[in-house]
Amino acid sequence: MDKLRDIKPIVEVNDYSFYIFIAVLLFSIFVIIGIIYFIYKKWSKKEKYVFDLSDSKKTAYQLIEIIRDKEGSKEYIDKLHLYTYKKEVPPFDETLFNEIKEKFKL
């Protein structure tokens, strides 16, 4: 029995799990806020186009540039070529402009 040693008292072990939980929670909140911010910026960054119908050549070039890669634009681009590549162009047709504006949601 001489070789038996006395039982030592309970030692307090530092528990950092609460601090780790708070750090993960704060990090998650910052990431979620960041994602919401970038989604908001992307949706609110919708371009607002300004067209000057008195300058029909410039308006035609702007419209061609905007709708070039969109589906169903070939027909309208052909119609817009009436206003391009010429020194003197006729006044811009507002019905064509309104059709393009409606179809491509400009």
Side-chain angles (χ1 to χ4, degrees), residues 26-105:
L26 289 175
F27 179 75
S28 301
I29 289 172
F30 284 127
V31 167
I32 290 170
I33 289 173
I35 290 171
I36 290 171
Y37 174 75
F38 284 115
I39 289 173
Y40 171 76
K41 289 294 268 186
K42 182 175 178 164
W43 283 344
S44 69
K45 195 178 183 179
K46 188 174 182 178
E47 293 183 31
K48 298 185 175 42
Y49 302 106
V50 178
F51 300 104
D52 180 16
L53 293 182
S54 64
D55 187 4
S56 53
K57 183 183 263 189
K58 183 179 177 185
T59 302
Y61 279 116
Q62 283 178 324
L63 287 170
I64 289 172
E65 185 67 31
I66 293 167
I67 68 172
R68 174 178 289 147
D69 297 326
K70 296 185 179 176
E71 189 173 326
S73 64
K74 179 78 172 125
E75 169 191 349
Y76 291 106
I77 289 175
D78 291 340
K79 290 180 183 178
L80 288 171
H81 279 302
L82 171 68
Y83 303 101
T84 58
Y85 307 118
K86 296 178 184 175
K87 191 171 187 175
E88 295 293 324
V89 292
F92 204 84
D93 183 19
E94 287 193 34
T95 57
L96 174 63
F97 179 73
N98 291 333
E99 282 179 37
I100 292 172
K101 201 171 174 183
E102 271 185 39
K103 177 159 176 116
F104 299 105
K105 295 176 180 48

